[in-house]
Amino acid sequence: MKILTLNINSVRAHAECMLDTIKELNPDVILIQELKCEDQVFPHIFFEHLGYNIKTYGQKSWNGVAIMSKYSVEDVSRGLPGTEDHGARMIEAVIDGRIRIINVYMPSGEAEDSPKFKIKLDWMNHFTKYIAPLLNSEEPVILGGDFNVAILDRDVWNVDQYKGSSISAPAARKIMNEWLDAGWVDTYRHFHPDKNDAWTWIGYRGGSIEKNRGLRLDYFLVNHAARPLLKHSDISIVPRTTDKPTDHLGVILELK
């Protein structure tokens, strides 16, 4: 099973980017973030003929997440309890009756001195409580999506430029590191422990892609039961280099 997570930065504006990415990578399951549309206007017709079952949790103009799968999609739930006021940011489902996947688009938080940073930490703390019992579940669980946190300095192309930013804020990093310390596995680092410049976001401005200036904000984390299923994890530049690209790269997880 090949799973792709991708922040599409508006699924309607970048539908062709999605189609090009699917053609190139042929994922079985896709986690999409930042739909920027309500459920009723999600462009199902673009993807259903490719064999995907689609479940969405949309919101007008902002946020929004979806799961697309060539396997069955069951036991679907939308939203993270306790964060209803923070937008459409999480969708969860069981894929093929055997793997539970949680797709998240965490708040950006802007800057440490912004009121939105408290919202970010509040969301992350609720998520911490939600996933705690899943770590030791006998059911394989995969957390994927745009976490809006660069865990380490090497996940930021220029540390000084991002001082004060919520994506590298110590408080946000501390929460994610607590997940990893507890036993959640960062699948990309599992297979590429020493890789630098492992960007999953590269902005549109200033020739960033030519200058290789980016951030690592998108992840797959797995629980103990899913760890034996890991085959490979990597980053694909395809979505960032199409004719009308999103500003994120795709992260791929392959299971045995």
Side-chain angles (χ1 to χ4, degrees):
M1 183 185 292
K2 180 191 286 187
I3 310 171
L4 168 71
T5 181
L6 178 63
N7 181 315
I8 196 60
N9 190 24
S10 176
V11 70
R12 290 187 294 173
H14 297 119
E16 293 294 336
C17 171
M18 278 291 305
L19 290 173
D20 289 344
T21 300
I22 290 170
K23 182 179 180 180
E24 181 71 22
L25 302 178
N26 191 28
D28 301 300
V29 181
I30 308 173
L31 314 184
I32 316 173
Q33 304 87 43
E34 248 192 306
L35 304 181
K36 294 185 177 179
C37 69
E38 295 174 291
D39 293 334
Q40 63 269 26
V41 293
F42 183 94
H44 288 79
I45 194 169
F46 276 78
F47 311 111
E48 286 180 340
H49 76 282
L50 298 175
Y52 289 102
N53 300 303
I54 303 170
K55 303 296 181 181
T56 63
Y57 179 32
Q59 177 183 338
K60 186 177 181 180
S61 302
W62 305 98
N63 307 319
V65 286
I67 295 176
M68 304 193 341
S69 172
K70 293 180 179 178
Y71 299 96
S72 64
V73 184
E74 303 165 324
D75 194 23
V76 179
S77 62
R78 295 167 173 85
L80 175 63
T83 65
E84 291 80 3
D85 295 338
H86 301 338
R89 295 187 175 276
M90 187 176 109
I91 186 167
E92 176 179 348
V94 174
I95 305 299
D96 198 32
R98 55 195 172 110
I99 298 173
R100 182 170 298 276
I101 293 183
I102 301 176
N103 177 18
V104 299
Y105 174 50
M106 296 189 186
S108 69
E110 294 186 352
E112 288 183 273
D113 58 0
S114 166
K116 292 184 178 180
F117 186 58
K118 183 181 181 302
I119 292 174
K120 180 189 187 86
L121 295 183
D122 180 62
W123 202 100
M124 294 181 75
N125 284 324
H126 276 83
F127 192 66
T128 299
K129 294 175 184 177
Y130 187 81
I131 65 174
L134 300 178
L135 177 61
N136 295 308
S137 170
E138 294 182 2
E139 181 181 44
V141 179
I142 298 171
L143 317 177
D146 180 355
F147 288 61
N148 267 312
V149 178
I151 300 178
L152 303 172
D153 281 351
R154 66 172 170 160
D155 296 324
V156 180
W157 78 270
N158 185 324
V159 174
D160 290 337
Q161 180 168 321
Y162 283 89
K163 281 184 178 177
S165 168
S166 67
I167 64 102
S168 58
R173 285 179 166 181
K174 180 176 182 291
I175 294 172
M176 277 202 71
N177 276 302
E178 286 174 351
W179 302 341
L180 301 180
D181 291 342
W184 291 96
V185 177
D186 176 351
T187 64
Y188 182 80
R189 286 297 177 208
H190 177 75
F191 290 102
H192 309 275
D194 302 316
K195 182 73 170 66
N196 293 319
D197 300 347
W199 317 134
T200 67
W201 175 88
I202 298 177
Y204 296 122
R205 299 178 181 177
S208 294
I209 193 162
E210 291 81 10
K211 297 173 182 177
N212 194 30
R213 296 175 175 177
L215 307 167
R216 189 170 84 102
L217 306 177
D218 305 77
Y219 303 85
F220 280 115
L221 309 181
V222 301
N223 72 346
H224 296 308
R227 187 167 184 167
L229 304 178
L230 298 180
K231 180 179 179 182
H232 191 60
S233 186
D234 216 335
I235 297 170
S236 171
I237 199 170
V238 170
R240 186 59 184 82
T241 54
T242 60
D243 288 339
K244 294 184 178 179
T246 177
D247 53 359
H248 282 249
L249 289 74
V251 182
I252 299 166
L253 175 62
E254 294 186 59
L255 304 179
K256 296 174 184 176

